[in-house]
Amino acid sequence: TLTTPSKWSKRHLSWRVRTFPKESHLGHDTIRALMYYALKVWSDITPLNFHEVAGSEADIQIDFSRADHNDGYPFDGPGGTVAHAFFPGDHHTSGETHFDDDESWTFRSSDAHGMDLFAVAVHEFGHAIGLAHTSAIESVMRPYYQGPVGDPLKYDLPYEDKVRVWQLYGVRDSVSHMARPDMTRTAEPPVLPDLPENRSTLPPARDAPDRCNTDFDAVAQIRGEAFFFKGKYFWRLTREKHLVSLRPAQILRFWRGLPINLDSVDAVYERPVDHKIVFFKGGKYWVFKDNNVEEGYPRPISDFGLPLDGVDAAFVWTHNDKTYFFKDGLYWRYDDHERRMDTGYPKDVVLWKGVPALLDDAMRWLDGASYFFKGTEYWRVKDNEIEVEAGYPRSIGRDWLVCTEMQSDSPATHTNETRSRQGQKQHQESRSENGYEVCSCTS
Amino acid sequence: APSLTAEQINMGVDWLSKFGYLPPPDPVTGQLQTKEALTKAIKAMQRFGGVEESGELDEATLVLMKTPRCSLPDVNESETARRKR
C-alpha cells in the first residue's frame, strides 16, 4: 500500500457539484444525494464533517468531465479510467473529484455496462480525504471497479478501509462507546429515490407478506435480477443475490399498467427474443417494455396455444432458449423466436425428474441452471440436465431472502404450512428424495 | 500461450507507465524498457491486482488491464524511481 501523502488539517470540509453529466438519466438531485451519501460513508466514522455549499469555492469540487480536461489525467471514453480525485493539500486542485462524463453512470441499476456512481464516488472521496490505492481485495480503495455496492443507505465500509481512515483522522466520537447524540446535524438528508424516480416512498401496508414464512405466486429473472412475487408485493435481488430491500415493493407501483384490482400474479418471465417481460394472471397476459405495459394488453393466453385456465409457472430454459409453461402436472414448450407452440405438447412433468408436479413458478438464473419453486422450497436443475440435483429441495428464505436460522424455525415454517393456490390451507410434508421425513434442528 | 501482438505489448507498457508500475517514457529518448524491468513491473501489477504473478502479459492480466478503474496511479513515481535506483 502506498504511504499516504497528506490529509486535511481542518475537520469541516465543503463540497459542491460544479458540473453535472451532460447526458444522464440520473437527475441533478439524485446525483447530489448520491454524493452526499458517499461522503457520509467517511464522515460517519471519522471526525470529518462535510457540508454542501452553493458558491464557487469548495474544498471538494466535483465535476463530470470528458477526455482531456487539463489536469494531467485525461479520460478515455466509456470504460478504461472512469474517475479520479486529488489528495488533500494546499494546491488549488486538492480535493477535486472528477468523473468521466462518457461513462453510463447508474444508480440501483442492473445495467451490466453501467458504472454505479455511488460505488465510484465512495472510492474517489477516499482519495480526496487522503487514502491511496490498496491491493486489499475487500477494500473500496482497490483501483479496479468492482460493480455496485448495494443500497447507499445500507452501505457498510469494509473494515480494511475503516482502519486506514482511522489511522489518518482517528475515530468519530459517535462510533466509539463514548457516543453522545450528534446534535450538530440539523439539515434533513437529501431523499434518495427508491427505485424509478417517482416511486412512492410510503411504507407498504401492514398486509405485506413475511418473506421468510410464505410461498410465492411467481419468481422470475429479469435483466439479471431475481424477482419474487407474492400477492400485491415483490422482492428484488441484484445479480449478486443481494436483497435490494427487506421490505417488499408494491407490484402496481413499479409495473405500470396492470389492473388496479390485481391481487396477485401467476407467473412472470423475460422474453428472450426482445427482453420484454410477460406477466400471467388467469387466462390473460400482459407484455411490458421495461416497467410499462404495452398497448393492446391484456390478451388471452390462447395466443400461446395454452388452455385458458391459466399457468402455474413459466421460464426460459438456458439449454435451448425455449419457454416452458407448467400447469397441473403438465408442461408445454413454446418457441418465442418463432412465436409458436412446439408440437407434441403438453407432456407430463414427471419427465423433469424430481421436480414437483404442482409448481408456484420457475426461473433460469445467471448460473445457467433452472430453479423450480414450490411453497417455501426450491429445486435446482443444472443446465443441460433434466434431473434435480442432489441436496434439494432447499429453503428459499435461507438461500435467497436473507432469512436467518432463527426465523426459519418459527412454528409456521417448521410445519411447512403452505396455502394452496386456491387459498385452502393444506398440510404439505417436506420430503427428501427417498421419501423420508425431513426436519431441521436449529439449536 | 498464444503470442502477444505488438499492439498488446504496447498497450501493456503504456498501462504500466500510466499507473505507476514503470517510469513514464522520456518524451525525447522514448526510453525503452528492459525485459527485466518489464517483467518486474508486470509482477508488481499482478500482485497489486490479485492475479497470479506470472510476470507475463497473460490473459488474466490483459483482462485486468481492460477493467474500468480509477485514473490515479497505484504506485507513485518517487517509489518507482527509488526502485529503479
Side-chain angles (χ1 to χ4, degrees):
Chain A
T1 302
L2 269 181
T3 50
T4 314
S6 60
K7 69 175 187 175
W8 294 101
S9 51
K10 55 186 177 179
R11 292 289 170 268
H12 289 274
L13 297 168
S14 57
W15 66 276
R16 173 173 176 268
V17 180
R18 181 163 51 185
T19 57
F20 290 87
K22 298 197 178 38
E23 292 153 20
S24 168
H25 66 282
L26 297 181
H28 285 199
D29 282 343
T30 301
I31 288 175
R32 287 176 47 238
L34 288 172
M35 297 301 158
Y36 169 87
Y37 283 107
L39 287 163
K40 189 172 180 291
V41 163
W42 299 104
S43 61
D44 273 354
I45 63 169
T46 63
L48 293 174
N49 297 286
F50 296 102
H51 56 278
E52 186 178 17
V53 293
S56 60
E57 291 303 314
D59 297 310
I60 299 184
Q61 285 278 20
I62 300 166
D63 285 295
F64 286 81
S65 316
R66 284 203 166 135
D68 188 3
H69 50 287
N70 303 320
D71 65 357
Y73 292 95
F75 287 128
D76 49 18
T81 53
V82 298
H84 49 246
F86 292 89
F87 289 114
D90 299 322
H91 192 274
H92 69 88
T93 60
S94 297
E96 278 199 14
T97 304
H98 300 165
F99 297 87
D100 186 350
D101 197 9
D102 280 327
E103 303 300 336
S104 164
W105 293 108
T106 60
F107 156 52
R108 283 199 183 120
S109 162
S110 59
D111 178 353
H113 301 291
M115 276 309 129
D116 185 69
L117 182 56
F118 173 74
V120 175
V122 172
H123 173 99
E124 299 307 333
F125 293 144
H127 288 322
I129 61 174
L131 292 184
H133 283 153
T134 174
S135 58
I137 295 292
E138 294 301 316
S139 166
V140 76
M141 296 312 294
R142 268 190 101 219
Y144 304 97
Y145 175 68
Q146 303 171 72
V149 293
D151 189 343
L153 303 179
K154 298 188 183 70
Y155 176 69
D156 185 26
L157 200 63
Y159 187 67
E160 157 85 18
D161 300 305
K162 289 180 183 172
V163 170
R164 293 176 67 210
V165 78
W166 285 337
Q167 286 167 343
L168 267 186
Y169 294 101
V171 181
R172 189 180 190 90
D173 276 351
S174 56
V175 171
S176 73
H177 65 282
M178 311 280 284
R180 280 189 302 282
D182 182 357
M183 308 309 282
T184 58
R185 302 202 183 182
T186 51
E188 274 302 307
V191 174
L192 257 185
D194 250 345
L195 286 169
E197 296 282 15
N198 60 0
R199 177 166 175 250
S200 152
T201 55
L202 280 178
R206 290 201 178 292
D207 64 351
D210 170 10
R211 70 182 189 288
C212 296
N213 292 291
T214 183
D215 60 347
F216 294 91
D217 302 323
V219 181
Q221 188 238 118
I222 300 169
R223 311 284 171 79
E225 294 187 329
F227 287 72
F228 287 76
F229 297 87
K230 177 65 181 174
K232 293 183 285 183
Y233 298 91
F234 71 91
W235 290 268
R236 176 179 178 181
L237 283 77
T238 66
R239 59 179 57 243
E240 293 78 28
K241 288 179 70 176
H242 292 163
L243 203 53
V244 171
S245 171
L246 294 179
R247 292 181 306 157
Q250 297 189 34
I251 293 175
L252 292 179
R253 289 179 189 269
F254 186 78
W255 302 99
R256 281 171 266 168
L258 288 170
I260 52 172
N261 58 353
L262 183 84
D263 56 4
S264 66
V265 294
D266 291 338
V268 179
Y269 80 99
E270 181 183 340
R271 215 156 57 178
V273 65
D274 54 11
H275 299 292
K276 291 180 180 174
I277 299 103
V278 187
F279 279 70
F280 293 85
K281 174 67 178 176
K284 295 176 188 169
Y285 73 100
W286 292 257
V287 173
F288 281 75
K289 181 174 183 330
D290 299 326
N291 54 351
N292 292 300
V293 74
E294 294 210 310
E295 290 295 326
Y297 292 91
R299 290 188 52 78
I301 62 172
S302 49
D303 284 355
F304 294 87
L306 291 166
L308 280 178
D309 56 351
V311 295
D312 291 333
F315 87 104
V316 177
W317 192 17
T318 308
H319 170 68
N320 57 13
D321 226 30
K322 298 263 182 132
T323 303
Y324 287 71
F325 296 106
F326 293 77
K327 178 68 178 177
D328 295 339
L330 297 175
Y331 74 94
W332 289 259
R333 190 177 74 181
Y334 183 77
D335 188 320
D336 259 310
H337 301 271
E338 302 294 330
R339 293 291 172 91
R340 61 172 170 71
M341 187 70 80
D342 286 348
T343 55
Y345 291 89
K347 294 179 176 175
D348 195 302
V349 172
V350 73
L351 295 173
W352 293 78
K353 298 188 185 61
V355 170
L358 297 179
L359 286 172
D360 291 338
D361 207 347
M363 73 168 176
R364 66 173 169 184
W365 184 233
L366 305 180
D367 58 5
S370 309
Y371 289 76
F372 298 85
F373 299 85
K374 176 67 192 167
T376 59
E377 295 174 316
Y378 72 99
W379 291 255
R380 183 172 188 261
V381 175
K382 280 183 192 160
D383 192 13
N384 292 338
E385 293 182 19
I386 52 171
E387 183 167 0
V388 169
E389 252 184 84
Y392 287 87
R394 296 172 56 89
S395 160
I396 299 174
R398 191 170 39 230
D399 289 357
W400 292 87
L401 297 173
V402 195
C403 297
T404 56
E405 287 301 326
M406 291 305 288
Q407 278 172 309
S408 68
D409 69 1
S410 67
T413 315
H414 227 8
T415 57
N416 270 343
E417 282 183 300
T418 55
R419 290 183 185 282
S420 73
R421 192 170 297 283
Q422 291 74 30
Q424 296 94 11
K425 219 176 228 189
Q426 72 185 48
H427 188 78
Q428 180 190 4
E429 287 179 26
S430 168
R431 289 189 181 289
S432 66
E433 274 172 40
N434 55 17
Y436 288 103
E437 278 286 319
V438 176
C439 60
S440 63
C441 172
T442 57
S443 62
Chain B
S3 61
L4 286 174
T5 63
E7 185 194 352
Q8 281 174 325
I9 292 173
N10 273 340
M11 187 278 279
V13 171
D14 280 350
W15 193 98
L16 291 165
S17 301
K18 188 172 178 181
F19 296 110
Y21 295 97
L22 278 174
D26 181 309
V28 175
T29 60
Q31 138 207 9
L32 289 179
Q33 312 302 338
T34 61
K35 179 90 170 75
E36 181 209 26
L38 192 55
T39 302
K40 268 190 180 175
I42 292 171
K43 279 193 174 182
M45 172 264 175
Q46 288 166 334
R47 189 167 49 247
F48 204 89
V51 294
E52 187 194 343
E53 287 186 51
S54 64
E56 300 287 334
L57 284 179
D58 54 29
E59 185 62 28
T61 305
L62 290 174
V63 165
L64 200 55
M65 286 182 170
K66 289 192 181 87
T67 303
R69 58 161 288 158
C70 174
S71 315
L72 293 198
D74 300 336
V75 182
N76 57 33
E77 274 176 48
S78 57
E79 281 215 41
T80 314
R82 194 165 53 244
R83 256 204 317 231
K84 188 167 176 305
R85 200 173 35 249

